[in-house]
């Protein structure tokens, strides 16, 4: 991977494993500066040894809003500003809605949604002042389609989708671009590293439907390392999209999902009209 002419400063959460680990390597190999976070900073030691003062490792629990602000401030002081924020930290809670415990549901939202929200808010003042910046939110195909046994995980991603779409319109006037990355299927070990809900036999069918649906939907696991090249290409794009799929098979799933939604709404349009009531004065 050749060094690009424009050097950037990145802030990447969840950099110690999965897609984040591949992205951290690619960002630094490109010649850029990187502030990277992990819950255990020791997991980033090898990057510190190889890249020296172009790399700032930060220990961070993204659920702590004050710690997130401090981490962003440290990166800005060290590197003079943040050009690209990548909100990648997250976990995937598998479980039917009734199976998930209250603290598990709150933790899922705290990491996947609020963690991204705190980091986003922390970088915005500097980006607005410089009138430039990229915010990349790592969502999921599950941020656009909901599957059984993933309801709470996908709720966190749907919240991220809505916030980010509104944000994109709010900050466009300042030269800030917001993009939702929608990974389709990659073997990153995310499931094994994530907390799991208790399994109630009453919902065995939901778990079976989840795994059967993934296979029947034509979703083929992609190469996690290849996503790094896609990430860098996305940042080089002058006018990036609000959403982009990483991996194949997602378009077919989305065509089925959205055509089904529209068909259902059209089928029940008579109820929508009933709720509307008669025009005033008629």
């Amino acid at each position: 991977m050749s060094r690009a002419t424009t050097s950037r400063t990145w802030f990447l959460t969840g950099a110690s494993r999965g897609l984040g680990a591949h992205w951290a390597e690619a960002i630094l190999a490109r010649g850029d500066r990187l502030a990277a976070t992990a819950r255990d900073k020791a997991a980033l030691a090898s990057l510190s040894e190889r890249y020296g003062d172009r790399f700032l490792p930060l220990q961070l629990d993204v659920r702590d809003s004050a710690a997130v602000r401090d981490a962003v401030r440290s990166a800005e002081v060290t590197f003079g500003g943040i050009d690209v924020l990548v909100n990648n930290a997250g976990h995937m809670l598998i479980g039917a809605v009734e199976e998930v415990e209250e603290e598990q549901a709150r933790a899922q939202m705290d990491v996947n949604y609020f963690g991204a929200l705190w980091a986003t808010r922390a970088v915005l003042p500097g980006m607005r002042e410089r009138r430039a910046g990229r915010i990349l939110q790592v969502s999921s195909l599950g941020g656009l389609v909901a599957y059984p046994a993933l309801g709470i995980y996908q709720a966190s991603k749907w919240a991220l989708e809505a916030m980010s779409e509104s944000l994109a319109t709010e900050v466009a006037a300042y030269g800030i671009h917001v993009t939702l990355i929608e990974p389709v299927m990659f073997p990153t070990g995310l499931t094994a590293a994530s907390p799991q809900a208790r399994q109630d036999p009453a919902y065995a069918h939901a778990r079976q439907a989840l795994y059967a649906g993934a296979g029947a939907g034509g979703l083929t696991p992609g190469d996690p390392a290849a996503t790094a090249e896609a990430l860098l290409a996305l940042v080089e794009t002058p006018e990036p999209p609000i959403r982009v799929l990483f991996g194949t098979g997602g378009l077919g799933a989305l065509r089925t999902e959205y055509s089904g939604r529209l068909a259902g709404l059209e089928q029940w349009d008579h109820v929508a009209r009933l709720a509307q009531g008669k025009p005033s004065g008629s």
Side-chain angles (χ1 to χ4, degrees):
M1 191 175 298
S2 60
R3 182 188 175 104
T5 55
T6 302
S7 180
R8 296 184 174 90
T9 296
W10 300 61
F11 190 99
L12 167 66
T13 67
S16 64
R17 60 177 177 81
L19 298 180
H22 291 289
W23 296 349
E25 289 278 2
I27 290 165
L28 290 164
R30 180 186 184 275
D32 286 353
R33 298 167 296 277
L34 172 64
T37 80
R39 295 197 64 171
D40 182 2
K41 189 169 70 171
L44 304 173
S46 66
L47 293 176
S48 294
E49 293 169 0
R50 286 183 285 135
Y51 292 102
D53 60 6
R54 283 199 293 111
F55 180 64
L56 176 65
L58 296 164
Q59 188 151 315
L60 178 66
D61 182 342
V62 297
R63 296 174 296 179
D64 184 337
S65 60
V68 171
R69 289 193 299 271
D70 288 344
V72 168
R73 190 176 302 114
S74 178
E76 290 176 330
V77 168
T78 301
F79 294 130
I82 295 169
D83 301 307
V84 185
L85 166 67
V86 185
N87 277 314
N88 174 64
H91 67 257
M92 182 173 71
L93 178 62
I94 297 178
V97 170
E98 189 182 352
E99 292 176 326
V100 172
E101 301 294 340
E102 179 179 342
E103 60 272 19
Q104 291 179 315
R106 291 185 183 279
Q108 182 73 106
M109 293 300 295
D110 277 343
V111 174
N112 288 11
Y113 171 66
F114 283 108
L117 176 61
W118 305 145
T120 297
R121 286 168 55 90
V123 303
L124 282 174
M127 288 185 175
R128 282 192 293 102
E129 183 178 354
R130 293 188 302 277
R131 304 189 73 84
R134 301 292 180 99
I135 297 174
L136 305 180
Q137 312 281 39
V138 182
S139 182
S140 166
L141 179 62
L144 301 171
V145 181
Y147 297 100
L150 286 176
I152 305 303
Y153 165 71
Q154 292 171 334
S156 70
K157 294 300 188 181
W158 284 43
L160 180 65
E161 295 271 341
M163 179 271 285
S164 300
E165 188 161 334
S166 293
L167 175 70
T169 301
E170 295 165 358
V171 300
Y174 299 102
I176 302 169
H177 296 280
V178 180
T179 297
L180 286 148
I181 296 174
E182 322 281 4
V184 178
M185 182 182 288
F186 292 91
T188 62
L190 178 63
T191 301
S194 298
Q196 302 301 301
R198 63 183 175 85
Q199 293 193 1
D200 187 329
Y203 292 103
H205 66 282
R207 287 183 289 277
Q208 292 169 357
L210 169 63
Y211 296 117
L219 302 182
T220 302
D223 177 5
T227 63
E229 186 174 354
L231 182 80
L232 296 183
L234 190 61
V235 171
E236 290 294 335
T237 303
E239 296 294 331
I242 181 65
R243 288 182 176 84
V244 62
L245 291 165
F246 272 21
T248 60
L251 277 177
L254 292 173
R255 289 190 185 103
T256 299
E257 172 71 13
Y258 290 150
S259 63
R261 284 190 200 181
L262 288 172
L265 291 169
E266 288 170 355
Q267 180 182 354
W268 289 93
D269 187 57
H270 62 286
V271 175
R273 294 174 181 276
L274 180 65
Q276 175 72 16
K278 295 180 180 180
S280 59
S282 62

